[in-house]
Amino acid sequence: MPQVHIRRVRYGVSPETIASTIQQYTGMGRIEARQAADAAISGKEFSVYIDDFTAVYELADMLTEMGVEAEADEGDY
């Protein structure tokens, strides 16, 4: 299953914006997506899984535009 690795977040990026973007692409619940966003903001590296192979690149691009260091995992293809 494809995944996006999230490593760090630029200062000032809203956790709600990150959470809603993750939620939109992954189908995670609100609380789970917010926990993922909070982990990224606190500097913890984590990964989110997506069912759609194309959406993994879209999510990584969206997060990068917001100031999140995110990378699609190409090892799953």
Side-chain angles (χ1 to χ4, degrees), residues 5-65:
H5 302 292
I6 300 172
R7 294 189 174 83
R8 68 179 71 107
V9 178
R10 184 183 71 221
Y11 178 77
V13 178
S14 165
E16 280 301 319
T17 303
I18 297 169
S20 65
T21 303
I22 290 172
Q23 189 176 14
Q24 176 183 357
Y25 281 91
T26 65
M28 284 182 175
R30 181 179 172 95
I31 293 172
E32 188 179 13
R34 180 59 194 253
Q35 289 171 342
D38 288 341
I41 288 172
S42 70
K44 295 178 185 163
E45 195 172 312
F46 72 95
S47 300
V48 293
Y49 296 91
I50 303 174
D51 292 330
D52 184 353
F53 286 99
T54 304
V56 73
Y57 290 102
E58 292 174 11
L59 175 57
D61 288 343
M62 290 288 292
L63 291 172
T64 300
E65 288 176 14

